[in-house]
Amino acid sequence: MPGYLRVTPEELPAGHKALLLFVHEGELCAGVLRRRHDGALERIVPDDPVPSDLILGICRMMSSMPAEGDLYVVIEPLAYWPEPFPLLRTL
């Protein structure tokens, strides 16, 4: 079963992506942070983010992961990991 691993943008390995949690208009929303192979970071968020994107974003990312991998999570300032969610580990 995949785990959830909190990383900073700098810790995200090249060629990987992370669930990106951020606050938009006072609501917790989600997107993707991708570190390209050249080392550049790409922030991918919906044009009009809404809180319901959070669960959908997690499901999309987990569906493309290996069964035993970790889902990287980057949490921007003011964002948070919801208490009812599974344990969030750190490096």
Side-chain angles (χ1 to χ4, degrees):
M1 170 183 248
Y4 299 88
L5 184 62
R6 182 176 183 172
V7 296
T8 64
E10 296 77 23
E11 294 169 329
L12 186 61
H16 286 81
K17 59 186 176 180
L19 175 68
L20 176 66
L21 299 181
F22 62 96
V23 173
H24 176 74
E25 296 182 359
E27 299 284 342
L28 183 64
C29 297
V32 174
L33 187 67
R34 178 180 298 145
R35 181 171 296 279
R36 298 189 320 219
H37 287 287
D38 66 4
L41 287 171
E42 183 179 6
R43 187 177 188 269
I44 305 163
V45 298
D47 290 334
D48 187 25
V50 293
S52 60
D53 292 339
L54 179 58
I55 300 300
L56 183 57
I58 291 172
C59 292
R60 278 191 200 133
M61 289 189 71
M62 291 186 78
S63 69
S64 65
M65 290 178 49
E68 297 302 319
D70 284 321
L71 175 65
Y72 293 113
V73 179
V74 172
I75 302 176
E76 290 189 344
L78 303 179
Y80 58 93
W81 185 250
E83 190 174 310
F85 280 22
L87 176 66
L88 180 64
R89 301 183 344 262
T90 58
L91 284 178

